[in-house]
Amino acid sequence: MTTMAPGDGDGDGDGGNTRTPLAAGELNVAFRGLDCIDVAALLEWRRTQQTADDGDVPMTAATTTAVIASSNVLTAFPYHLATDCPSLHRLLLTWNKLRSLQPMPSTPLTPFHALHHLDLGFNKLTALPTSLPTTLPNLRTLVLNDNAL
């Protein structure tokens, strides 16, 4: 899959309209108007966007290492990604509508063992659950800027 890079800096006057391949294992679904993250559907969409330059190895939920879901309309934290994407290292959820990280009572909580980086900036969070260290045991970076904490 390729995305438009913000600028290539080569001075050729193309306005930065270069195609930059995503990193292996990266699922970029920013600016899609998503209100939930359906991994199977998004991976199928990604497959339809792949070009010959993207390689022959299809991405699966098990090999997904990063989900970029910024600038959507998510209102609930996607706890299901802990089981859907067990290799997830990076989760970017900036500029969504998250008000709480509390799971729904029916949501089984599986820890995100591989997650190292979580960006929740520019949401509407007012508190963090006390279960956060248990749910994110290997988290190294937590970005919370511009929330109402």
Side-chain angles (χ1 to χ4, degrees):
M1 173 178 191
T2 57
T3 59
M4 298 304 285
D8 58 5
D10 62 6
D12 65 2
D14 68 0
N17 290 326
T18 57
R19 295 176 65 82
T20 304
L22 292 173
E26 188 171 276
L27 181 60
N28 187 340
V29 291
F31 298 101
R32 300 253 177 244
L34 301 175
D35 60 0
C36 68
I37 298 174
D38 179 342
V39 175
L42 293 172
L43 287 172
E44 181 58 31
W45 168 81
R46 187 181 196 274
R47 275 189 277 285
T48 66
Q49 302 298 310
Q50 282 184 312
T51 66
D53 296 336
D54 293 332
D56 298 324
V57 181
M59 191 169 129
T60 66
T63 61
T64 300
T65 59
V67 172
I68 303 166
S70 299
S71 299
N72 282 292
V73 290
L74 300 173
T75 57
F77 188 82
Y79 282 103
H80 64 283
L81 292 180
T83 52
D84 291 353
C85 304
S87 299
L88 190 65
H89 293 192
R90 221 168 38 109
L91 179 57
L92 281 65
L93 300 173
T94 57
W95 293 100
N96 276 285
K97 298 179 184 281
L98 299 173
R99 293 187 181 279
S100 171
L101 296 183
Q102 293 294 341
M104 299 299 289
S106 62
T107 304
L109 281 183
T110 301
F112 283 83
H113 288 292
L115 195 65
H116 295 240
H117 181 100
L118 175 60
D119 192 335
L120 298 168
F122 298 95
N123 277 284
K124 300 176 185 307
L125 298 173
T126 58
L128 297 177
T130 57
S131 63
L132 205 60
T134 305
T135 307
L136 306 170
N138 296 309
L139 193 68
R140 294 185 206 145
T141 305
L142 176 61
V143 180
L144 295 166
N145 58 308
D146 288 299
N147 278 286
L149 295 169

